[in-house]
Amino acid sequence: MNDVTQQTAIRLAWAGLAPFILLAALGVVGIYQGLALQAFLAYSAVILSFLGGIHWGLIMAGEMEKPQGRLLICMLPSLVGWLAVAFAPALVALVVLGLFYILWLRYDVEAVTQDWYQKMRRPITFVVTGTHFLWFIAIASERAVG
């Protein structure tokens, strides 16, 4: 991948944080909290699914070893995201999604060998999991007071 494409990918990845941050901010201050939470959880599941899709693409390009097993593994983010959003209460979904971002980061940086990608993923995952934590605190504290 050339430098221009890498820079574009990095910029888009950082821009992809905007919905996480905006929706978490709305949740913390209590503006449109129900709608913001629903949108946050849906976006989180979609992005988690996208992270698994990155591996699917690398497998299709022949850039990963043991492709059969990795094809199965790269389906996990989609399944976890869907199950959390579709069937878990919001607090549980926030924890499951946040923890799975961290678990997937560990797998991701071991499996994807491009240095630029690894450097990008760590801080972005920190921000994403932080927004899940903020949501958790906002909802848990609201329930404790109410």
Side-chain angles (χ1 to χ4, degrees):
M1 179 182 295
N2 66 40
D3 289 344
V4 173
T5 306
Q6 283 179 14
Q7 287 304 312
T8 301
I10 291 168
R11 286 185 186 111
L12 289 171
W14 282 99
L17 289 176
F20 283 112
I21 295 167
L22 175 64
L23 293 167
L26 289 174
V28 168
V29 297
I31 298 173
Y32 300 112
Q33 197 174 48
L35 180 61
L37 178 59
Q38 182 181 2
F40 180 89
L41 290 172
Y43 186 69
S44 181
V46 167
I47 295 303
L48 197 57
S49 182
F50 176 81
L51 293 176
I54 290 170
H55 290 253
W56 189 279
L58 290 170
I59 291 164
M60 290 176 61
E63 295 186 21
M64 295 188 103
E65 295 178 11
K66 303 177 184 174
Q68 300 299 330
R70 291 194 187 268
L71 278 173
L72 293 172
I73 292 170
C74 74
M75 296 303 297
L76 287 175
S78 300
L79 293 171
V80 168
W82 170 67
L83 289 169
V85 171
F87 300 108
L91 281 175
V92 174
L94 287 166
V95 170
V96 168
L97 292 168
L99 288 175
F100 201 82
Y101 273 102
I102 294 168
L103 291 172
W104 192 255
L105 173 65
R106 184 171 179 182
Y107 175 75
D108 204 17
V109 296
E110 290 175 7
V112 180
T113 58
Q114 287 86 356
D115 188 49
W116 69 270
Y117 180 78
Q118 293 182 3
K119 287 179 184 175
M120 174 191 71
R121 278 280 283 125
R122 285 183 177 93
I124 287 175
T125 299
F126 176 76
V127 173
V128 169
T129 55
T131 59
H132 285 76
F133 179 72
L134 287 174
W135 262 114
F136 183 87
I137 295 299
I139 294 170
S141 63
E142 191 173 279
R143 290 185 181 170
V145 171

